[in-house]
Amino acid sequence: MKDYYVKDLKEKVGEEIDLKGWVYRKRRHGKLVFVVVRDSTGTVQTSIKKQNVPVESFEAAKVVDIEASIHVKGIVKEDARAPDGIEVECTEFLIISPSPDFPIQEDTSSEALLDIRHLTLRTTKARNIMQVKNGVIQAARDYFEEKGFNEVFPPIMVGVAGEGGGTLFSFDYFGQKAFLSQTAQLHLEASIFMFENVYSLTPSFRAEKSRTRRHLTEFGHIEAEMAWCDEECNEKIEEELVVYICNKIGEKYSDELRYFKQDPAYYHDMEPKFERITYDEAISIIQGKGLNIEFGSDLGYDEEKVLTEDFEYPFFVKNFPKDIKSFYMKQKGDRAICADLEAPGGYGEIIGGSQREDNLDMIIERLQKEGEDIKNYEWYLDLRRYGSVPHSGFGLGIERLVRWMLKLEHIRDACLFPRTPARIYP
Ligand code: ATP
Ligand code: MG
């Protein structure tokens, strides 16, 4: 590993340094070559003057390709004309490994960039997105840690559906049918009897054929489950978590936010007082915007787009009709005790949460109505047989959150290696 990085060079003016990285840009003016060096923390301009370096160094700088890995030695100089106010005057320039015809150009199409995602990861845009994503994950863990939650690692290979048959990936598990987990929820529910407040960070899998800008077939899922917690308590945790993450990102990643033309203060100053509206109010807002939606329908991409466009902050939509929600949600009359958190500006759902049904007979009845084989759910039903408690929980889509925060065109930009119906390569 290196002892210091590009970001540290500002503190080293006048010193002799040693820097490893990749060629970001290159220009030549006769006996002078400028090479902009990139590492994981930024870029710095280096100048290679023919009279200051060994012959081989100047020849190497003349022919070096974009994205070749290099090792330069030199002195850090203040230079008002350089982008960061410093420049490295080289005393030696070595190519570690060449990079002939690096395939990314200014005009490479977005599909072509996805075909070479393993190389696209080197771009400033991808790096900045992944930096913020890393910040989101760290902040979420910090929040849960501060609140006394325990992190658990639920299984990815499961025997039952969490969210219903439509979007399940199945596979053969030694002669038995198994699935890739759509949610960790059912296994988190079992874990609250040990830890009371638990969370997990796992990939979730959905065979979503709808190719919207916000659906992946594999996504990062932050899920939490709390014992002795009703709907208000659930919404409070969701709101605090999202605001905690936003505040941290606004504070620590202002450069990355500005790169995406986002105001760090919006995130930094956000407060946990999101608006709550009912499903019925949501329906009338959507109808008022001229969309043809009937009471009792679920909110899809188009509906959430118009619903959220005029809000300034995330907000909850509560009390959906029970028939369009999952079997495990607790009910009150004809409604489910649930809330989705919607991101403003047309982005739509980022969290789905609910109070869970804690009554054994109600769950059995619902599973039977949905045509599920009760046998597969015996273990889950045991949770209601032995000391059942009121409890609630939620799932937050990490890439949905990052997409909204950075206003990304498509959710796949928020993935290291996106998985969509049309893409499993690279
Ligand atoms: P949608 O209606 O948008 O498909 P959902 O109601 O199926 O979402 P949940 O089952 O409540 O979503 O999942 C919890 C969270 O996981 C969602 O709020 C969202 O942030 C995220 N999520 C769900 N499906 C996907 C997906 N296919 N790609 C990316 N994130 C997803
Ligand atoms: Mg879905």
Side-chain angles (χ1 to χ4, degrees):
M1 280 166 69
K2 306 196 298 190
D3 291 334
Y4 48 84
Y5 294 83
V6 164
K7 72 170 168 37
D8 305 315
L9 296 183
K10 283 196 281 289
E11 316 299 322
K12 294 187 177 293
V13 173
E15 289 178 38
E16 209 175 314
I17 57 107
D18 219 290
L19 185 66
K20 291 172 184 143
W22 293 266
V23 175
Y24 186 64
R25 261 192 218 113
K26 197 181 90 169
R27 273 178 300 135
R28 187 179 165 201
H29 303 284
K31 294 180 181 167
L32 175 63
V33 183
F34 289 109
V35 173
V36 178
V37 182
R38 167 183 81 76
D39 78 358
S40 57
T41 66
T43 58
V44 66
Q45 177 161 291
T46 65
S47 62
I48 303 98
K49 287 198 189 106
K50 194 170 180 182
Q51 72 268 27
N52 289 353
V53 296
V55 183
E56 311 81 66
S57 283
F58 190 71
E59 289 307 310
K62 259 168 50 184
V63 301
V64 74
D65 312 289
I66 299 296
E67 285 303 317
S69 50
I70 54 172
H71 181 178
V72 301
K73 295 180 183 172
I75 317 272
V76 183
K77 294 263 158 96
E78 272 185 76
D79 185 341
R81 290 162 305 172
D84 262 333
I86 55 163
E87 187 183 276
V88 177
E89 215 173 82
C90 284
T91 51
E92 209 178 328
F93 185 96
L94 291 166
I95 297 175
I96 304 293
S97 190
S99 169
D101 305 319
F102 188 67
I104 297 180
Q105 312 285 335
E106 292 273 332
D107 58 352
T108 308
S109 74
S110 52
E111 275 305 315
L113 285 174
L114 287 168
D115 289 337
I116 49 166
R117 182 68 179 166
H118 51 292
L119 301 176
T120 309
L121 292 178
R122 304 177 184 202
T123 60
T124 310
K125 179 179 173 189
R127 183 219 163 266
N128 285 347
I129 296 170
M130 292 305 141
Q131 184 73 71
V132 168
K133 190 175 186 178
N134 163 76
V136 165
I137 292 166
Q138 285 303 322
R141 285 208 160 101
D142 290 347
Y143 171 77
F144 286 123
E145 173 72 22
E146 281 178 24
K147 280 271 162 184
F149 282 63
N150 270 284
E151 182 169 2
V152 293
F153 291 85
I156 299 299
M157 299 189 286
V158 295
V160 289
E163 291 296 333
T167 65
L168 272 174
F169 281 111
S170 62
F171 64 98
D172 175 65
Y173 190 76
F174 304 115
Q176 191 185 329
K177 193 166 181 182
F179 311 101
L180 294 178
S181 164
Q182 297 168 307
T183 169
Q185 183 197 317
L186 307 190
H187 295 90
L188 291 188
E189 284 185 68
S191 308
I192 63 168
F193 295 87
M194 160 174 62
F195 284 142
E196 304 199 315
N197 303 322
V198 297
Y199 76 100
S200 63
L201 265 87
T202 62
S204 279
F205 302 86
R206 309 262 172 113
E208 308 264 18
K209 282 179 210 97
S210 64
R211 297 185 190 187
T212 74
R213 287 158 196 271
R214 55 177 204 176
H215 283 98
L216 296 160
T217 51
E218 175 173 349
F219 65 94
H221 214 169
I222 299 177
E223 291 175 271
E225 200 69 30
M226 294 80 69
W228 322 107
C229 181
D230 63 7
E231 63 174 326
E232 270 124 65
C233 150
N234 197 28
E235 286 159 25
K236 181 166 172 281
I237 298 287
E238 292 172 36
E239 178 176 66
E240 279 182 5
L241 170 67
V242 169
V243 170
Y244 188 98
I245 292 171
C246 288
N247 291 168
K248 274 282 157 68
I249 297 296
E251 184 185 321
K252 281 180 72 178
Y253 298 103
S254 51
D255 288 346
E256 285 79 1
L257 286 169
R258 281 194 205 96
Y259 177 91
F260 292 99
K261 303 193 169 57
Q262 300 308 305
D263 179 10
Y266 169 84
Y267 291 105
H268 183 262
D269 300 338
M270 192 180 287
E271 291 179 42
K273 43 183 196 193
F274 295 160
E275 224 177 298
R276 275 105 168 121
I277 65 169
T278 61
Y279 168 84
D280 304 58
E281 286 167 323
I283 294 295
S284 43
I285 294 175
I286 297 165
Q287 285 171 341
K289 298 222 174 209
L291 250 67
N292 200 357
I293 184 171
E294 277 171 36
F295 183 86
S297 314
D298 206 353
L299 310 182
Y301 179 73
D302 295 331
E303 290 80 24
E304 287 181 12
K305 192 164 188 299
V306 300
L307 171 66
T308 61
E309 63 192 2
D310 295 335
F311 281 81
E312 193 186 349
Y313 291 102
F315 61 98
F316 289 103
V317 180
K318 293 167 61 100
N319 309 339
F320 283 71
K322 68 178 185 345
D323 295 336
I324 55 172
K325 288 293 182 183
S326 304
F327 74 91
Y328 53 70
M329 291 188 185
K330 197 172 173 65
Q331 301 177 352
K332 192 156 74 189
D334 63 347
R335 301 308 173 103
I337 306 182
C338 67
D340 284 353
L341 186 71
E342 300 278 335
Y347 287 86
E349 182 184 330
I350 51 177
I351 294 185
S354 65
Q355 185 163 345
R356 315 308 191 189
E357 182 54 71
D358 40 35
N359 179 286
L360 178 64
D361 298 332
M362 295 285 284
I363 294 212
I364 293 179
E365 193 185 304
R366 302 268 291 286
L367 281 170
Q368 279 168 339
K369 219 167 125 192
E370 289 183 18
E372 293 286 345
D373 186 350
I374 297 294
K375 251 196 355 274
N376 296 331
Y377 287 86
E378 282 302 335
W379 70 268
Y380 184 67
L381 298 175
D382 274 349
L383 307 179
R384 274 70 181 170
R385 288 188 183 110
Y386 303 109
S388 183
V389 292
H391 64 287
S392 302
F394 62 89
L396 167 116
I398 298 175
E399 293 82 7
R400 291 243 181 125
L401 179 66
V402 171
R403 174 176 180 239
W404 163 63
M405 293 185 82
L406 302 180
K407 308 296 177 286
L408 304 176
E409 176 76 8
H410 199 291
I411 192 169
R412 64 191 177 201
D413 290 337
C415 298
L416 197 66
F417 288 95
R419 297 292 179 247
T420 61
R423 185 170 294 285
I424 194 147
Y425 178 94

